[in-house]
Amino acid sequence: MTETPAHHALWPAPVADGAVHATVTVPGSKSVTNRALVLAALAAEPGWVRRPLRSRDSQLMSDALRALGVGIEETVSSSSAEGAGGEAWRIIPAGLHGPATVDVGNAGTVMRFLPPVATLAAGDIRFDGDPRSYERPLGQVISALRTLGARIDDDGRGALPMTVQGGGALEGGTVEIDASNSSQFVSALLLSAPRFNQGVEVRHTGATLPSMPHIRMTVEMLRAAGAAVDTPEAGGEKNVWRVAPGALLGRDMVVEPDLSNAQPFMAAALITGGTVTVPDWPRRTTQPGDALRRIFTEMGGSCELTDAGLVFTGTGKIHGIDVDLSEVGELTPGIAAVAALADSESVLRGVQHLRLHETDRLAALTAEINGLGGDVTETADGLHIRPRPLHGGVFHTYDDHRMATAGAVIGLAVKGVEIENVGTTAKTLPDFPKMWADMLLGEAPTGAGA
């Protein structure tokens, strides 16, 4: 277990004193926001991104695009063609240029989606970030871009920091890539592909491909922007995606709520036998978080999609689960937290790639739940969780937002849990402590960026 840094104050996780009954407006999806920003920046005409997520990851993306010459005007609107009022960003494409420095923080979407964009800029683009970003996999994207004609100086590391020597264009073509560690490797190449001279044909060569819903999200958003995309789902060759060269259209896009960030609030209803309503839950979506409806129902809850949104209700009884999370790995920390409070064992499978996320999430969950008296064992591809009576203690987050929310979930039922660096939730869920407190008071908090 790690030491708590002096500058990271401990946050006492509130204990629920009864059933939670609240409406929680969840901020916009980080995955959709950052993809929308990239596509709008590469378009041939201005576009709008409405109800974007305002968080550290989306701020890093918008700051990086501004550094490359893209105009982003932040406004508040009362309405749009989609009927969506609230915050709106007008994206004004421009000739991408350097020299510039991009701070990726520890955002996978920024460190992977923007190097292909940088190849289209005129000038050198330097990429740097948090210390953890140096350890996260990037070599497959770097080698793929070199195959497609890019010049990249990474001192042979296959990782950050690095410099993309932008030539104002990229030839493109066919490339093989092993995306077993992250579906973002595929999405990174697809998003910029319409601007490559030959487009791109991406062939995944690895044995597994995690988080497929995120690739489907990329494909749907590309098509909405006017790109021609051939996919395995559309009858194309297995593990092959093709994007034709062509102009992207400036669109008026409304960002969905981040369904994965609804997880801790739904977990609160499950654990306390309460009810949480999440407004604007889409009836059809590519977001991995939509799987929570099925998974948390299996674990003891029930849900209904209504005009008010998703209404999720718990009984206070939590059942263990044996589940393959390979397509929805980001949900693992929250599911593990709930499973630690269940009435039977759980096996979470298919998530070996989580060892390479913001932190090694499998090792972190094992250490922190066991530190509170739990019995969690790492397996080759996941976790085996045997519920035990838990006690208070410090729950370390490793600068990982989903570790912080997982600790808060356990704290609902266990007195004395203290979260180290709860502020890391700002990565995708700003104002989480206030939202959590409002939920427990039965109020209707409004998430930032909603």
Side-chain angles (χ1 to χ4, degrees):
M1 196 180 296
T2 61
E3 292 294 318
T4 301
H7 63 286
H8 285 168
L10 298 177
W11 179 68
V15 178
D17 58 8
V20 167
H21 294 284
T23 295
V24 180
T25 300
V26 179
S29 164
K30 178 261 295 185
S31 298
V32 173
T33 298
N34 279 1
R35 282 167 172 78
L37 286 171
V38 170
L39 291 171
L42 295 175
E45 57 193 350
W48 289 90
V49 178
R50 301 185 189 272
R51 295 182 180 172
L53 172 68
R54 184 182 286 278
S55 71
R56 187 186 186 213
D57 276 20
S58 59
Q59 196 65 53
L60 287 165
M61 181 66 84
S62 59
D63 287 349
L65 291 171
R66 284 187 174 108
L68 296 177
V70 177
I72 302 178
E73 299 175 351
E74 301 180 11
T75 65
V76 176
S77 66
S78 58
S79 63
S80 74
E82 302 288 340
E87 189 166 2
W89 296 349
R90 187 167 186 257
I91 315 300
I92 305 168
L96 303 174
H97 61 78
T101 297
V102 169
D103 175 11
V104 308
N106 191 21
T109 53
V110 182
M111 73 178 69
R112 290 157 183 160
F113 292 178
L114 286 191
V117 175
T119 67
L120 302 170
D124 289 355
I125 312 299
R126 173 80 171 169
F127 286 83
D128 209 337
D130 297 352
R132 171 63 179 171
S133 71
Y134 296 2
E135 303 170 11
R136 298 186 68 181
L138 191 61
Q140 289 289 326
V141 174
I142 293 172
S143 60
L145 288 174
R146 285 178 174 147
T147 298
L148 297 174
R151 293 179 298 163
I152 300 174
D153 178 11
D154 65 344
D155 291 331
R157 288 184 302 269
L160 293 176
M162 67 179 190
T163 298
V164 176
Q165 300 171 22
L170 193 71
E171 190 59 25
T174 300
V175 65
E176 293 187 346
I177 191 168
D178 182 352
S180 300
N181 289 333
S182 176
S183 67
Q184 288 177 355
F185 298 169
V186 174
S187 288
L189 298 173
L190 300 183
L191 284 168
S192 293
R195 290 282 301 273
F196 299 165
N197 294 342
Q198 297 182 39
V200 80
E201 179 181 291
V202 179
R203 293 180 167 269
H204 166 60
T205 60
T208 61
L209 184 57
S211 303
M212 271 296 295
H214 278 127
I215 296 180
R216 296 187 193 110
M217 177 187 295
T218 297
V219 168
E220 282 205 3
M221 293 181 69
L222 274 163
R223 286 174 173 158
V229 188
D230 180 40
T231 69
E233 293 90 344
E237 192 175 346
K238 183 180 179 182
N239 289 336
V240 177
W241 294 262
R242 297 182 181 89
V243 180
L248 291 172
L249 307 174
R251 290 300 197 192
D252 192 332
M253 175 172 292
V254 180
V255 178
E256 297 173 349
D258 192 317
L259 306 187
S260 295
N261 277 340
Q263 181 179 42
F265 305 100
M266 294 170 65
L270 183 59
I271 290 167
T272 67
T275 299
V276 166
T277 299
V278 182
D280 299 320
W281 192 288
R283 293 189 177 273
R284 180 187 174 279
T285 180
T286 54
Q287 287 193 63
D290 196 45
L292 288 167
R293 292 192 292 155
R294 170 181 56 83
I295 294 168
F296 276 173
T297 296
E298 276 191 53
M299 297 186 79
S302 63
C303 64
E304 182 184 3
L305 268 177
T306 71
D307 291 342
L310 180 75
V311 180
F312 183 81
T313 303
T315 62
K317 295 181 179 179
I318 309 164
H319 308 311
I321 192 170
D322 186 329
V323 62
D324 183 342
L325 299 175
S326 57
E327 291 206 345
V328 293
E330 66 195 54
L331 304 180
T332 301
I335 293 169
V338 172
L341 303 170
D343 58 14
S344 58
E345 296 183 5
S346 293
V347 178
L348 312 185
R349 295 178 283 106
V351 287
Q352 61 271 19
H353 60 286
L354 294 190
R355 295 187 169 98
L356 301 168
H357 274 223
E358 281 81 348
T359 187
D360 179 341
R361 284 180 172 166
L362 300 185
L365 287 164
T366 300
E368 299 313 309
I369 295 175
N370 288 351
L372 301 181
D375 184 0
V376 181
T377 305
E378 277 193 65
T379 64
D381 71 339
L383 298 173
H384 187 180
I385 302 170
R386 305 167 191 83
R388 297 285 185 271
L390 301 180
H391 56 71
V394 175
F395 194 96
H396 298 89
T397 63
Y398 309 83
D399 294 321
D400 186 333
H401 57 134
R402 299 206 191 278
M403 286 296 296
T405 53
V409 166
I410 292 174
L412 286 174
V414 180
K415 292 182 180 179
V417 174
E418 296 181 295
I419 311 299
E420 170 261 333
N421 189 20
V422 73
T424 194
T425 53
K427 178 181 173 71
T428 62
L429 194 54
D431 300 326
F432 170 73
K434 183 179 186 304
M435 294 178 69
W436 201 242
D438 288 347
M439 173 194 71
L440 290 171
L441 289 172
E443 298 179 7
T446 300

